[in-house]
């Protein structure tokens, strides 16, 4: 009954609820606290604006400073927005197995592409691999003495195991802001999304340490190019150090294949550049019937033919017009010739020859 | 997203599965003889076997390529669900809202003139200049989130509102395409590969009910 039946949206919500209750959706970071601004303070600001901005608004020239808005939003709703985006891109799901955290610190990472220009890393923006060849500039606001760990992983790039990640950069025991004074456990390697595999995510995570931690087990050989050594799992890494470390910030970008990826494979990693092709899911076909009702027999039978037989037929047709010594010449006015030759033939044969001339269906190549 | 694993009731069979093509061997040999780079580790990746099947876990990857099929089953319902990202602009009496939603219902990017971060710099929370500035803030947030295109239903704007037009203009100026491209669908070709994986006469399985996460 409509009164009792749940709508599609309600059924979806119920499914998602059971999903969430099963998964390990725990807040592993710091609690989310927003600075409260009283209503009277807000009213005072609005009153001030009504006097100061009236002239600008009347001329239609009020253009607010976007950087100021961004800075102000950090204390109000930006952390929730960032959390939302990270959930959308599956960052928490793939790196921490569902456990999430709200960013405490605004992690600002940017790549220098020339002396004047730099490409910042936000939350999902698209960057080319050639722009990531140099070590990025990292900045975050610190109060007092504290130790931090910065991690850069690629959850999508692994060439052997789908659930593993590659470690691109790991710096630990960073005093305050200064990355250069931290312990380089893994040297920076340029991003290398493989050809044909689409956009890969690259995530920077900043952990806040309570004390100096011994990262002996996590140290890799300096300037390592071995992909086996760089195989990483953020979940296991964090599990070992979770008592003294809390995730405090993140940022991520997406990248697709580029010519510089080839250089990385040939020159740095010293291996052949792999390339992939997207595989469409296999279409569904019902079981073939002996007497299909109201189905054109030629199309129905063609659908169930072995693809090897079809390819053989196409090849034989092509070879009829190919000569090993004479150059290949396309016949003049093929559609007119088709019209003449098709006269008097049965309709299924006409369709087949028309497809062959127009290079459609199995004749497309 | 793992294929075939009972990860959850909500799973999409459309994974970003890629297969290895033949590697260009002659090109690599040529390059080896010419490169004199000093930071070469010749032995480490010599025996590194690459899996011929590559699954990209990034859910957004297929959306950028227009390969992921959109939710087509609601053609007689309004509002339509056939999109990846939908833009909603809602100018109300108290404020102006701009929301970018994913087809799964998740809010991806949102901006409202009622947010204190924006409101403290505005004269009024609901006039045209608020719309102009909200459009700029929203467009910047979309770009930072890696949004390239969004679907916008013009029927939602009943009054032909100037505020809506101004926000759309701000998005276009920022480089975000209003209106998504067509999905790339594989053309039908006759024949079944009986030697390889085929779905001949398979029973209906829960994966066929595609609820995009």
């Amino acid at each position: 009954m409509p009164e009792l039946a749940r709508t599609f949206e309600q059924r979806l919500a119920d499914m998602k609820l059971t999903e969430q209750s099963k998964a390990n959706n725990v807040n592993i970071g710091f609690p989310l606290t927003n600075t409260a601004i009283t209503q009277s303070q807000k009213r005072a600001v609005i009153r001030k604006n009504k006097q100061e901005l009236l002239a600008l608004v009347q001329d239609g020239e009020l253009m607010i400073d976007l950087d100021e808005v961004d800075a102000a939003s950090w204390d109000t709703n930006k952390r929730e927005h960032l959390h939302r985006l990270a959930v959308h891109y599956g960052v928490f799901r793939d790196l921490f197995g569902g456990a999430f955290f709200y960013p405490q610190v605004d992690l600002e990472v940017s790549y220098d592409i020339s002396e004047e220009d730099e490409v910042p890393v936000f939350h999902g923006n698209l960057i080319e691999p050639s722009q990531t060849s140099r070590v990025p500039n990292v900045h975050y606001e610190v109060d007092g003495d504290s130790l931090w760990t910065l991690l850069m992983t690629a959850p999508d790039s692994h060439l052997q195991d789908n659930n593993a990640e590659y470690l691109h950069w790991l710096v630990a025991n960073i005093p305050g802001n200064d990355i250069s004074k931290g312990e380089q456990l893994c040297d920076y390697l340029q991003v290398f999304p493989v050809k044909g595999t689409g956009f890969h995510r690259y995530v920077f995570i900043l952990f806040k340490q309570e004390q100096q931690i011994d990262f002996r087990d996590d140290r890799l050989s300096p300037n390592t190019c071995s992909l086996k050594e760089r195989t990483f799992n953020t979940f296991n890494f964090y599990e070992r150090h979770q008592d003294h470390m809390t995730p405090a910030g993140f940022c991520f970008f997406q990248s697709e294949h580029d010519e510089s990826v080839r250089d990385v494979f040939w020159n740095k990693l010293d291996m052949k550049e792999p390339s992939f092709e997207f595989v469409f899911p296999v279409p569904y076909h019902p079981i073939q019937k002996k007497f299909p009702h109201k189905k054109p027999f030629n199309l129905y039978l063609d659908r169930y033919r072995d693809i090897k037989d079809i390819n053989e037929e196409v090849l034989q047709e092509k070879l009829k017009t190919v000569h090993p010594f004479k150059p290949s010449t396309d016949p003049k006015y093929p559609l007119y010739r088709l019209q003449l030759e098709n006269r008097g033939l049965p309709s299924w044969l006409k369709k087949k020859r028309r497809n062959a001339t127009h290079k459609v269906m199995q004749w497309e190549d | 997203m793992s294929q075939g694993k009972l990860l959850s009731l909500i799973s999409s069979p459309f994974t970003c599965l890629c297969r290895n093509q033949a590697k260009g061997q002659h090109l690599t040999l040529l390059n080896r003889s010419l490169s004199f780079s000093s930071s070469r580790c010749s032995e480490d990746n010599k025996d590194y076997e690459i899996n011929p099947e590559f699954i990209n876990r990034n859910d957004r990857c297929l959306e950028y390529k227009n390969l992921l099929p959109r939710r087509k089953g609601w053609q007689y319902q309004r509002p339509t669900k056939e999109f990846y990202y939908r833009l909603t602009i809602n100018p109300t009496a108290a404020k102006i809202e701009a929301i970018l939603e994913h087809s799964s219902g998740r809010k991806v990017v949102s901006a409202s003139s009622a947010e204190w971060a924006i409101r403290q710099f505005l004269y009024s929370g609901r006039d045209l200049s608020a719309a102009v500035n909200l459009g700029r803030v929203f467009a910047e947030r979309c770009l930072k989130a890696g949004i390239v295109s969004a679907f916008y239903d013009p029927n939602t704007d009943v009054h032909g509102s100037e505020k809506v037009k101004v926000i759309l203009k701000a998005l276009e100026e920022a480089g975000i395409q209003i209106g998504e491209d067509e999905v790339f669908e594989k053309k039908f070709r006759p024949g079944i590969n009986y030697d390889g994986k085929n779905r001949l006469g398979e029973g209906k399985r829960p994966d066929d009910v595609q609820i995009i996460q």
Side-chain angles (χ1 to χ4, degrees), chain A residues 8-9 12 15-16 19 37 42 45-46 49-50 53-54 57 62-64 66 68-70 72-73 76-77 81 84-85 87-89 93-94 122-126 155-160 162-166 196-201 223 225-228 231 254 256 266-287 302-308 310 361-362 364-365, chain B residues 1 7-10 14-21 23 25 27-28 31-32 35 37 39-42 44-45 48-62 64-65 67 71 74 81 85 102 104 106-110 115-124 127 129 132-133 136-137 140-141 143-148 184 186-195 197-202 211 213:
Chain A
F8 178 72
E9 270 80 33
L12 255 187
M15 277 163 126
K16 283 182 182 168
E19 253 289 293
I37 307 165
K42 287 188 184 177
V45 172
I46 291 170
N49 282 351
K50 285 244 186 266
L53 302 175
L54 180 62
V57 165
L62 175 62
M63 290 290 163
I64 58 180
L66 298 177
E68 276 183 39
V69 169
D70 195 43
S73 66
T76 48
N77 52 20
H81 286 337
R84 203 169 57 180
L85 273 166
V87 168
H88 177 65
Y89 279 97
R93 180 198 68 193
D94 291 334
F122 292 119
H123 15 276
N125 57 330
L126 311 175
D156 306 317
S157 295
H158 209 270
L159 294 168
Q160 287 183 337
N162 182 49
N163 294 321
E165 304 153 24
Y166 280 139
T197 50
F199 285 94
H200 294 218
R201 294 163 296 178
N223 262 315
C225 306
S226 159
L227 290 178
K228 194 177 171 189
T231 301
Q254 292 180 93
E256 206 191 10
W266 286 353
N267 300 335
K268 271 222 171 110
L269 303 174
D270 213 54
M271 39 187 299
K272 294 176 190 168
E273 191 200 8
S275 94
F276 291 85
E277 202 178 43
F278 181 70
V279 172
F280 284 90
V282 181
Y284 164 74
H285 296 287
I287 302 171
D302 258 351
R303 191 186 186 186
Y304 289 96
R305 268 176 93 186
D306 198 329
I307 207 157
K308 284 186 275 191
I310 294 179
M361 293 277 224
Q362 65 260 43
E364 200 180 355
D365 266 322
Chain B
M1 260 293 183
L7 185 69
S8 63
L9 289 167
I10 310 165
F14 221 95
T15 53
C16 189
L17 172 67
C18 314
R19 199 157 289 139
N20 204 339
Q21 293 173 328
K23 300 163 210 169
Q25 292 181 357
L27 283 170
T28 54
N31 184 265
R32 280 232 184 90
S35 70
S37 170
S39 60
R40 270 179 65 185
C41 342
S42 39
D44 299 333
N45 295 317
Y48 200 74
E49 270 180 40
I50 298 173
N51 191 351
E53 273 193 7
F54 184 100
I55 299 177
N56 187 344
R57 285 193 286 182
N58 187 6
D59 295 331
R60 307 299 135 228
C61 169
L62 289 173
Y64 283 109
K65 301 282 177 187
L67 283 170
R71 292 172 76 182
W74 305 84
K81 294 186 204 246
Y85 294 105
H102 187 248
S104 60
R106 222 182 285 131
K107 270 194 206 172
V108 183
V109 186
S110 70
E115 278 174 35
W116 184 240
I118 303 171
R119 181 70 186 85
Q120 62 182 298
F121 300 109
L122 294 173
Y123 173 82
S124 152
D127 65 353
S129 95
V132 168
N133 287 301
R136 290 171 62 225
V137 172
E140 192 202 36
R141 286 185 187 177
L143 279 182
K144 285 182 180 178
I147 305 298
V148 165
F184 179 81
K186 193 182 175 191
K187 279 188 202 165
F188 174 76
R189 282 231 192 155
I192 298 174
N193 183 8
Y194 289 100
D195 291 333
K197 189 183 175 197
N198 65 66
R199 291 180 62 192
L200 182 66
E202 250 185 39
I211 301 167
Q213 193 171 21

Side-chain angles (χ1 to χ4, degrees), chain A residues 307-344:
Chain A
I307 207 157
K308 284 186 275 191
D309 295 334
I310 294 179
N311 291 340
E312 193 187 319
E313 189 191 344
V314 168
L315 186 63
Q316 279 177 351
E317 279 293 322
K318 279 191 188 166
L319 287 172
K320 279 180 190 170
T321 52
V322 163
H323 195 278
F325 307 121
K326 293 179 194 165
S328 62
T329 48
D330 291 321
K332 255 189 163 184
Y333 313 123
L335 297 183
Y336 176 61
R337 290 186 62 228
L338 174 73
Q339 203 183 34
L340 292 175
E341 285 165 16
N342 267 3
R343 262 188 214 143

Side-chain angles (χ1 to χ4, degrees), chain A residues 114-145:
Chain A
S114 67
E115 279 190 25
E116 296 157 351
D117 301 321
E118 60 176 24
V119 175
V121 171
F122 292 119
H123 15 276
N125 57 330
L126 311 175
I127 296 180
E128 286 166 44
S130 51
Q131 294 172 334
T132 64
S133 50
R134 279 176 267 187
V135 175
N137 309 319
V138 180
H139 173 77
Y140 48 92
E141 270 165 31
V142 192
D143 25 270
D145 296 319

Side-chain angles (χ1 to χ4, degrees), chain A residues 186-312:
Chain A
C186 172
D187 290 310
Y188 180 76
L189 177 63
Q190 191 201 317
V191 135
F192 53 91
V194 180
K195 187 172 183 183
T197 50
F199 285 94
H200 294 218
R201 294 163 296 178
Y202 296 94
V203 190
F204 289 90
I205 302 189
L206 187 69
F207 295 94
K208 187 166 187 182
Q209 294 174 226
E210 287 168 20
Q211 58 188 56
Q212 187 96 358
I213 303 176
D214 184 17
F215 284 101
R216 215 178 300 153
D217 298 325
D218 302 303
R219 185 177 288 277
L220 306 180
S221 29
N223 262 315
T224 177
C225 306
S226 159
L227 290 178
K228 194 177 171 189
E229 241 193 292
R230 279 183 183 260
T231 301
F232 189 71
N233 193 310
T234 313
F235 187 83
N236 293 342
F237 171 79
Y238 182 65
E239 208 178 4
R240 279 182 284 124
H241 302 293
Q242 62 182 318
D243 297 327
H244 309 291
M245 207 158 72
T246 335
F250 66 84
C251 62
F252 56 96
F253 68 95
Q254 292 180 93
S255 204
E256 206 191 10
H257 176 84
D258 183 297
E259 295 245 327
S260 63
V261 173
R262 188 180 292 176
D263 291 328
V264 173
F265 273 104
W266 286 353
N267 300 335
K268 271 222 171 110
L269 303 174
D270 213 54
M271 39 187 299
K272 294 176 190 168
E273 191 200 8
S275 94
F276 291 85
E277 202 178 43
F278 181 70
V279 172
F280 284 90
V282 181
Y284 164 74
H285 296 287
I287 302 171
Q288 192 175 8
K289 286 187 197 164
K290 201 160 187 180
F291 300 102
H293 185 53
K294 274 197 172 178
K295 296 258 159 47
F297 77 95
N298 55 330
L299 302 177
Y300 190 81
L301 289 171
D302 258 351
R303 191 186 186 186
Y304 289 96
R305 268 176 93 186
D306 198 329
I307 207 157
K308 284 186 275 191
D309 295 334
I310 294 179
N311 291 340
E312 193 187 319

